[in-house]
Amino acid sequence: MKKSEKVLLGVFAFLFLAIVGGGGLTYAFRNYMAIRNENDSLRDRLAEMNLAISQGAEWAAKHGWLEEHCPNFTSRQEASAKLLELIVGEADKIGLSIGGKEFIDAVRVLGPDGLPLEEDLGYFDKSAVKITLAGVPEKTFYAWLHALQKPQSFLGITRMQINPSGSNKTINAEVEFTQFYREKSTPKVSKAN
């Protein structure tokens, strides 16, 4: 081989090694970065999972409190009757005369099978009663509202309209009370053989 051929062969060998080596290094660098990114995402996911695990006990305690304190009724009618009984009882205690009483039924959207749509059910059931008062003293009215507003019992005022009646600090009011509860499942009766 001539000297010029050896030089040319050396140059081609160098270019070949540079191209193949550079491609190999680029491939290795890309794989290294992909593995690094995957490690970072796995580290983040592990941190999220640890956070969820650490909060699990807190959420379990909240769920336990909810199950313990949430009122249970067998039907909407029973819940509405108990709610009205409570409202009237508190009004009688402070000498407040109630005008009109109206049960408010929640409108449930029914699906093609005739059952309420799952997304409309929610965790709580609710019953609501609208009370109308005419010419009641302000101070007595607010004491009555304060006695009935019980968040720990899942009972609250969801709508209220107050108008002055025009004499001696008396008002006309329309108040809607809502009781949130869980409907107890009724035991199924089966015929014994």
Side-chain angles (χ1 to χ4, degrees):
M1 238 199 250
K2 295 182 190 176
K3 187 175 182 178
S4 63
E5 289 177 342
K6 286 182 181 181
V7 170
L8 196 54
L9 183 62
V11 169
F12 282 129
F14 176 75
L15 285 175
F16 177 75
L17 289 176
I19 291 171
V20 170
L25 285 175
T26 303
Y27 177 74
F29 181 73
R30 285 184 182 164
N31 281 341
Y32 170 75
M33 291 306 290
I35 290 170
R36 187 173 171 191
N37 289 338
E38 188 174 342
N39 283 344
D40 290 343
S41 67
L42 287 173
R43 188 177 304 113
D44 292 343
R45 185 154 185 231
L46 183 61
E48 289 172 6
M49 289 170 63
N50 284 334
L51 179 64
I53 289 169
S54 69
Q55 289 179 342
E58 180 182 341
W59 283 105
K62 288 178 181 180
H63 183 265
W65 182 90
L66 184 64
E67 289 299 319
E68 182 180 330
H69 290 89
C70 184
N72 290 311
F73 298 108
T74 56
S75 67
R76 179 183 303 276
Q77 290 79 14
E78 179 189 3
S80 296
K82 294 281 185 182
L83 177 59
L84 184 59
E85 182 182 312
L86 178 67
I87 292 169
V88 171
E90 286 294 329
D92 289 343
K93 280 182 189 176
I94 59 174
L96 192 64
S97 61
I98 294 177
K101 305 166 200 156
E102 178 184 342
F103 292 112
I104 300 171
D105 288 330
V107 178
R108 290 191 173 178
V109 179
L110 300 179
D113 57 358
L115 297 173
L117 292 175
E118 192 68 29
E119 62 266 6
D120 290 340
L121 292 178
Y123 184 79
F124 293 105
D125 298 303
K126 69 177 181 176
S127 64
V129 176
K130 182 170 76 171
I131 302 295
T132 306
L133 304 158
V136 297
E138 272 185 54
K139 199 171 191 177
T140 307
F141 173 74
Y142 289 118
W144 176 66
L145 289 181
H146 182 69
L148 286 171
Q149 181 84 6
K150 297 178 181 176
Q152 71 275 11
S153 299
F154 298 86
L155 172 64
I157 300 164
T158 50
R159 193 179 74 73
M160 180 170 43
Q161 181 179 358
I162 301 173
N163 296 317
S165 68
S167 60
N168 291 339
K169 291 195 173 194
T170 58
I171 57 172
N172 298 327
E174 192 174 276
V175 184
E176 183 179 304
F177 294 95
T178 301
Q179 169 80 56
F180 292 95
Y181 66 96
R182 291 295 300 156
E183 195 166 302
K184 288 189 269 186
S185 58
T186 56
K188 295 188 178 192
V189 179
S190 62
K191 193 168 33 168
N193 292 332

